[in-house]
Amino acid sequence: MKKILLLLCAFGALLTSCSDKTPAPTIEVLEGTEILDFSNAEGSKVVKFSANGAWTAEVTTGAEWITLSATSGNAGENELTVSVSANGYESRSGAILLANGAATAQVTVNQTQENALIVDATEKVFDAVGGAFGITVETNLVVSVSINAEWISQAEPTAVRGLEQIVY
């Protein structure tokens, strides 16, 4: 009986010593750095995060305008500098995926557009007979037209996507 009890205790100790005590991988972005908003100019901001193991960082496909100061690192409190190139006439968004084993976290990167309002002419002159003319406005803003003379009428504007070219 004593041998059986001793054998059971040894077997229990063996099972206990074989259990996996490694904590599950974690990665957590510190509050306030999970979304980075940039103006249309080039710039840099810092993402702060913690990981309990080696981590990797990658920019999502199609966001070549985002660069990272590092793509991997060690466990602990970390800072990753995120840089963006200057932007043109359309706002854009991308993401950074941080990973520590099976644990992942995402940081969203937003960049505003450069505002544009380009008018091809500021003045049109007609003789007494009158006539028709067009003014081309290129913009990515909302534009309104105000005519302060009864003898001038506005045609329906035509537009294209992106930097809109509106002809009045």
Side-chain angles (χ1 to χ4, degrees):
M1 184 69 168
K2 208 175 190 182
K3 286 184 181 180
I4 293 176
L5 186 57
L6 186 60
L7 188 60
L8 286 174
C9 286
F11 184 67
L14 180 64
L15 287 177
T16 303
S17 66
C18 291
S19 66
D20 185 11
K21 294 184 182 186
T22 305
T26 61
I27 192 159
E28 185 176 333
V29 177
L30 274 60
E31 189 172 333
T33 64
E34 60 275 282
I35 298 175
L36 301 178
D37 291 319
F38 290 88
S39 71
N40 65 301
E42 71 177 62
S44 297
K45 293 190 178 185
V46 174
V47 173
K48 296 179 181 182
F49 64 96
S50 61
N52 68 351
W55 57 268
T56 60
E58 67 176 307
V59 177
T60 57
T61 304
E64 297 82 20
W65 50 277
I66 302 172
T67 56
L68 306 175
S69 60
T71 56
S72 62
N74 297 316
E77 301 293 321
N78 294 279
E79 290 188 357
L80 179 67
T81 301
V82 177
S83 301
V84 297
S85 59
N87 192 10
Y89 297 117
E90 291 192 29
S91 59
R92 55 191 178 183
S93 291
I96 300 164
L97 182 65
L98 300 170
N100 170 17
T104 61
Q106 182 172 302
V107 176
T108 302
V109 181
N110 301 312
Q111 190 175 30
T112 60
Q113 66 194 15
E114 179 179 359
N115 292 333
L117 179 61
I118 304 164
V119 180
D120 74 338
T122 58
E123 182 178 314
K124 297 285 183 177
V125 178
F126 291 92
D127 59 24
V129 177
F133 70 95
I135 296 177
T136 301
V137 177
E138 293 182 83
T139 185
N140 56 3
L141 305 169
V142 175
V143 176
S144 64
V145 175
S146 177
I147 299 174
N148 297 325
E150 292 180 16
W151 53 274
I152 299 175
S153 61
Q154 176 184 339
E156 283 298 315
T158 59
V160 295
R161 278 193 64 70
L163 186 61
E164 293 185 47
Q165 185 179 52
I166 306 168
V167 179
Y168 292 99

